[in-house]
């Protein structure tokens, strides 16, 4: 697998997209044009462990199907989604409800009514309708589902009697939230916590989603809560516990590959990535996350071992 261009490609991508929002819809051609089948594909990762693992599995499956791949890490959806539209990135792992709402807000404004929901079929229908005019194709979801989740220090939870996010809202405690910088605007992050639970988010500390630095900030009391995911297997190591989303702020987010249709919309790509759908579960993702975050194994090694164990790629 070609990894040599990862850093350079990421730097070029950031430089190009930092001052643009991607091509206009009018300039993207007819959606009815035949899907493309480029044999050299760039896979984007959002920079956190699970996204890295999924990107590695996508690369290995595509290589097995005869494609040449490269992976780059771009941690901000506001940057990598326009790059996906323009063809600088060909494939990204995404989450159905989150991406549907993100595209909806981009198309219809930040105040647009959410289209993501716990109903997978309705969410996928809305997502594909929003993605198609942008030259994007959303492939079928599999069995694996992830959700945003919020964790606090176990000692903090015990001190204030916290088991749910509602408990935190009722406690009227000032909360610094360790999360990605986009959390300030995302409806299921800081605004949703304030609106749905009445939690007093006094600041968002931009340390990323579920990163070691973010969890350490909560562990040492610099921040009070961290945005992570339900597949985070390292919370115990940092003395953290999840607070239950008892008012159902979060939608069920199924893992879905999203591709640039003009470059990677072929049956070959769909079939290669679709092989993962029959085996990958939420528990599998949590286990692989733990191997990377706790056991310090490389994402590529964990991804390869998993795919070999499921006989999706040959050993060696």
């Amino acid at each position: 697998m070609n990894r040599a261009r990862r850093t350079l490609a990421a730097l070029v991508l950031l430089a190009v997209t930092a001052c643009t929002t991607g091509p206009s819809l009018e300039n993207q051609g007819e959606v009815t044009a035949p899907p493309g089948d480029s044999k050299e594909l760039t896979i984007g990762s959002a920079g956190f462990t699970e996204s890295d693992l999924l990107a590695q599995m996508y690369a290995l499956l595509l290589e097995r199907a005869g494609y040449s791949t490269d992976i780059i890490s771009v941690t901000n959806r506001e940057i990598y989604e326009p790059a996906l539209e323009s063809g600088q990135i060909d494939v990204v792992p995404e989450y159905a409800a989150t991406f549907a709402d993100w595209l909806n807000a981009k198309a219809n404004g930040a105040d647009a009514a959410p289209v993501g929901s716990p109903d997978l079929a309705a969410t996928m229908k809305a997502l594909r309708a929003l993605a198609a005019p942008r030259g994007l194709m959303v492939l079928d979801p599999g069995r694996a589902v992830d959700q945003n989740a919020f964790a606090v220090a176990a000692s903090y939870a015990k001190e204030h009697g916290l088991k749910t996010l509602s408990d935190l809202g009722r406690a009227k405690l000032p909360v610094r939230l360790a999360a990605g910088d986009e959390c300030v605007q995302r409806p299921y992050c800081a605004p949703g916590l304030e609106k749905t639970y009445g939690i007093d988010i006094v600041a968002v500390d931009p340390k990323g989603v579920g990163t070691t630095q973010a969890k350490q900030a909560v562990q040492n009391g610099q921040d009070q809560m961290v945005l992570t995911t339900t597949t985070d297997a390292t919370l115990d190591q940092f003395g953290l516990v999840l607070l239950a989303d008892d008012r159902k702020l979060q939608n069920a987010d199924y893992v879905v590959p999203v591709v640039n249709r003009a470059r990677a919309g072929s049956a070959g790509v769909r079939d290669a990535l679709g092989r993962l759908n029959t085996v990958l579960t939420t528990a599998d993702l949590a286990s692989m996350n733990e191997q990377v975050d706790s056991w310090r194994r490389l994402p590529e090694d964990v991804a390869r071992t998993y795919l070999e164990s499921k006989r999706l790629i040959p050993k060696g």
Side-chain angles (χ1 to χ4, degrees), residues 24-305:
S24 65
L25 299 185
E26 293 80 6
N27 294 331
Q28 290 184 320
E30 294 294 330
V31 175
T32 54
D37 191 27
S38 173
K39 294 302 180 181
E40 296 184 359
L41 299 175
T42 298
I43 301 166
S45 164
F48 57 95
T49 296
E50 187 167 292
S51 188
D52 289 344
L53 284 163
L54 289 164
Q56 293 286 352
M57 286 190 283
Y58 289 1
L60 289 164
L61 289 168
L62 288 167
E63 287 187 346
R64 172 66 171 160
Y67 295 87
S68 174
T69 67
D70 189 34
I71 295 175
I72 61 173
S73 180
V74 185
T75 59
N76 193 308
R77 187 179 279 114
E78 284 76 3
I79 294 177
Y80 72 68
E81 189 278 330
L84 185 62
E85 289 186 29
S86 69
Q88 291 174 288
I89 294 175
D90 302 304
V91 184
V92 295
E94 264 292 355
Y95 300 90
T98 295
F99 197 45
D101 284 333
W102 193 87
L103 288 180
N104 187 44
K106 185 175 181 179
N108 301 310
D111 295 330
V115 295
S117 76
D119 185 330
L120 178 60
T123 296
M124 288 297 296
K125 182 178 180 180
L127 174 55
R128 284 171 165 154
L130 289 160
R134 297 184 177 278
L136 306 180
M137 178 183 290
V138 183
L139 306 188
D140 290 340
R143 300 159 60 192
V145 59
D146 200 350
Q147 288 178 299
N148 286 340
F150 297 91
V152 299
S155 57
Y156 181 84
K158 182 177 180 180
E159 177 184 359
H160 298 288
L162 308 177
K163 293 185 178 180
T164 68
L165 290 170
S166 289
D167 291 338
L168 183 57
R170 284 191 292 268
K172 302 300 180 185
L173 297 166
V175 174
R176 277 175 54 90
L177 175 61
D181 54 5
E182 67 276 9
C183 177
V184 174
Q185 297 179 330
R186 295 274 170 84
Y188 299 115
C189 201
L193 291 172
E194 292 171 340
K195 181 178 179 180
T196 301
Y197 289 105
I199 297 173
D200 182 15
I201 305 295
V202 297
V204 172
D205 188 2
K207 294 187 181 298
V209 179
T211 63
T212 296
Q213 293 82 1
K215 285 177 277 197
Q216 286 175 337
V218 176
Q219 183 184 38
N220 64 29
Q222 176 184 345
D223 298 329
Q224 287 71 51
M225 188 161 67
V226 60
L227 170 62
T228 184
T229 68
T230 52
T231 57
D232 188 335
T234 68
L235 296 179
D236 286 347
Q237 296 178 26
F238 296 91
L240 307 183
V241 293
L242 291 179
L243 295 182
D245 179 21
D246 53 309
R247 296 185 184 174
K248 307 300 182 185
L249 173 63
Q250 306 299 328
N251 291 323
D253 266 322
Y254 285 77
V255 175
V256 289
V258 182
V259 304
N260 178 290
R261 187 179 188 276
R263 288 182 49 80
S266 69
V269 171
R270 295 197 304 273
D271 292 345
L273 298 182
R275 299 179 70 200
L276 194 59
N277 290 353
T278 60
V279 298
L280 184 65
T281 67
T282 304
D284 291 342
L285 273 180
S287 174
M288 285 189 281
N289 286 338
E290 182 179 23
Q291 291 176 57
V292 175
D293 292 335
S294 299
W295 305 354
R296 303 304 182 198
R297 294 188 64 196
L298 294 175
E300 182 176 1
D301 293 340
V302 174
R304 182 180 296 277
T305 299

